[in-house]
Amino acid sequence: MRRRSTTLLIAMFALGGSYFGAMWWVSRDPAPPVMPMPVEEQASGPLAAEPPGNRPLLAYGPRVWVEIEQVGSYLPSTAANIRVHRGSAEVTAKISVVGGAGMSWPEADRRDGEALVRIEEGARTMFRRIMVAGADGSGELQIGITALLRGSVVDQLNKPVAGARVWCGGELDNEILTDEKGCFAAEVASGDGVPVVVRAVGKAWSYQLVSVLPAGSEVGFVLAADCELHVQLVGSELTLPSAFVRISAVGASFTTELLQYPFFAQQLFAGQANNDGPAVDGQGHAVIRGLPRGSTIGVSAGGPCLPVTAPQQVELLRASTEVALPVAHGAACRGSVVDEHGDPLAGAFVWCWPQDKVPKRSSADRWLQPREVDAVAVSCVVTGADGAFDLLVEDAELCVLTIEHRDFARLVRPLARDVRIGLRCPLPGGAATPPRMHVSPPIAGKAWPLRVDPGDQIFRVVAADRDFVHPLPVPMLALIRARVATSTGEWSPPRVAKDVMLSGVVSLPLALTLR
């Protein structure tokens, strides 16, 4: 009896211990889950709004929320697809279009037609006329052996013009002078489309496109009387620095002398020691010599501080003609152009055009005119060694900034009132490619939740010490905002990285994701 009571007592104690032990286990806080991360609702606004669901992350590292805002687009380079051959071998050279049809414009394909191109082969530079075709500005050019080009220059009375300056499509400062008989001889690379320009005091400029044979060729020029055009810019003094004046072919009829005038030369010879071209002085005055008397031309002005004016028709009836061009100024647009390493980029063509006035190529591509002739209401400048640009635009909120360089992708960037000063404009070398953005872990050794907008709907968990790779559909210039949440669920203020180039493999700046 006593043994049965003892056994029953032991059983009761065992049963009671099991019950209380079970109750204690159930009442404990549950262990933090390892996977998966709780799903968060999609944010209703930008990162300035407080994200929903700020629960403690426990075993995870801090949440990282990244927002990507596209502020610009990278497009293919405008460099023409021109191949130069010497015999059967292709020449390695830098080729750029100076004027004519081989240039692209916003929302407009290149036109088929004639283009004047600059060919830089090592230390040697030459210019040639070439026919281009297609949206990529493709063309073929054959350059032959050195040959002798002979020529003669006379006036309209068939009298020799001595001391005329003759340029045969080589280095811009490589001019030769005609002798007392008005004759000249120059060694040039044989081939088609050699531009020969003749300039003489008191005479209208004249040019011909010459085919130079390997055995040599001859060419003759008849120079007409010239007209000296005085242009006065009337308007704000802010528009005067670095302004330029351009002339173009306008009007219903053309004289023989106008057909022979080298419109492309006004840009090429600007700044030369013997320049007769349209340099604007500090008072807004320019003198253009060598224009064909009796013709009708268009005169416009432009520059970094002056949106290009619409051509004003002027009749060149006398030996000297005067014209006043009213000009205006607008809001400032300042910034710098850099390469993918952040180094200043010289020689970039920067232009700012109104969205409602998209410039298009005119039908006069055969005149080989420079691009800015058709760029009405556009401000433009070429960057120097510091890569900086300073433009004035009529209305920055309605303008688009376009930056081009023959060795880099093109950037198209709409402007806004609060984004027009201190712009940093990086260009990717070669062709821009869709980016793959790498985001590094904010804390080593812990899995970490990440959300990237646009793209994600939730926070996703990234394995410890593993970069997150986020592909984007197109290369772009972006503004990046990032916020980081600690284990208590508190979010940091947005951290901003402006003007970030997203092309190819890109690493998100670590400073954006550190707590």
Side-chain angles (χ1 to χ4, degrees), residues 490-514:
E490 296 179 358
W491 287 90
S492 68
R495 300 168 182 171
V496 179
K498 297 180 179 180
D499 301 332
V500 179
M501 183 183 72
L502 299 181
S503 174
V505 179
V506 181
S507 294
L508 188 73
L510 191 59
L512 293 180
T513 58
L514 292 178

Side-chain angles (χ1 to χ4, degrees), residues 241-258:
S242 303
F244 59 78
V245 173
R246 292 286 184 263
I247 56 174
S248 56
V250 298
S253 60
F254 303 100
T255 63
T256 301
E257 293 78 14
L258 185 65

Side-chain angles (χ1 to χ4, degrees), residues 177-515:
L177 300 179
T178 56
D179 59 20
E180 66 278 2
K181 297 181 180 180
C183 297
F184 68 90
E187 291 186 345
V188 299
S190 60
D192 296 332
V194 178
V196 181
V197 177
V198 178
R199 298 183 287 171
V201 177
K203 304 298 180 183
W205 293 11
S206 182
Y207 95 105
Q208 294 184 40
L209 293 168
V210 181
S211 294
V212 179
L213 302 175
S217 298
E218 294 187 4
V219 62
F221 289 87
V222 179
L223 303 186
D226 77 335
C227 172
E228 186 174 274
L229 178 63
H230 294 259
V231 181
Q232 180 64 54
L233 305 186
V234 181
S236 171
E237 293 182 359
L238 294 175
T239 63
L240 300 181
S242 303
F244 59 78
V245 173
R246 292 286 184 263
I247 56 174
S248 56
V250 298
S253 60
F254 303 100
T255 63
T256 301
E257 293 78 14
L258 185 65
L259 292 173
Q260 296 174 347
Y261 182 81
F263 286 94
F264 59 85
Q266 59 184 317
Q267 181 186 39
L268 290 184
F269 296 130
Q272 297 299 103
N274 295 321
N275 174 43
D276 296 320
V280 179
D281 62 21
Q283 286 72 47
H285 183 254
V287 180
I288 307 176
R289 300 178 177 87
L291 295 174
R293 193 182 307 178
S295 303
T296 299
I297 62 169
V299 183
S300 57
C305 298
L306 170 61
V308 176
T309 62
Q312 179 175 326
Q313 290 194 21
V314 177
E315 294 183 349
L316 308 175
L317 301 179
R318 298 178 295 276
S320 179
T321 303
E322 298 180 358
V323 60
L325 288 183
V327 297
H329 68 280
C333 175
R334 297 187 178 95
S336 61
V337 183
V338 298
D339 61 17
E340 59 265 42
H341 306 296
D343 297 325
L345 190 57
F349 188 83
V350 184
W351 46 309
C352 194
W353 48 276
Q355 297 187 52
D356 60 342
K357 298 179 181 179
V358 179
K360 298 181 182 297
R361 292 297 297 166
S362 71
S363 60
D365 286 337
R366 65 190 180 92
W367 300 98
L368 304 178
Q369 296 177 141
R371 179 197 333 238
E372 53 265 31
V373 167
D374 292 324
V376 176
V378 172
S379 300
C380 53
V381 67
V382 177
T383 59
D386 59 356
F389 61 86
D390 191 348
L391 301 172
L392 287 181
V393 296
E394 292 182 348
D395 189 344
E397 293 184 81
L398 299 176
C399 285
V400 174
L401 195 69
T402 300
I403 302 177
E404 302 175 1
H405 193 288
R406 62 188 176 191
D407 299 327
F408 294 82
R410 177 173 37 146
L411 173 62
V412 177
R413 176 176 187 167
L415 296 181
R417 179 181 296 276
D418 57 342
V419 185
R420 65 186 186 214
I421 303 297
L423 299 175
R424 181 178 179 272
C425 300
L427 301 184
T433 57
R436 295 178 59 83
M437 188 177 69
H438 289 243
V439 185
S440 299
I443 293 181
K446 285 189 177 183
W448 52 294
L450 173 70
R451 174 173 174 173
V452 179
D453 291 326
D456 291 337
Q457 300 293 318
I458 61 174
F459 282 92
R460 291 182 284 175
V461 172
V462 184
D465 297 326
R466 182 72 59 85
D467 280 6
F468 177 78
V469 180
H470 182 77
L472 295 168
V474 294
M476 67 179 72
L477 184 69
L479 182 146
I480 298 178
R481 300 183 183 92
R483 296 179 74 176
V484 180
T486 65
S487 58
T488 62
E490 296 179 358
W491 287 90
S492 68
R495 300 168 182 171
V496 179
K498 297 180 179 180
D499 301 332
V500 179
M501 183 183 72
L502 299 181
S503 174
V505 179
V506 181
S507 294
L508 188 73
L510 191 59
L512 293 180
T513 58
L514 292 178
R515 283 196 299 183

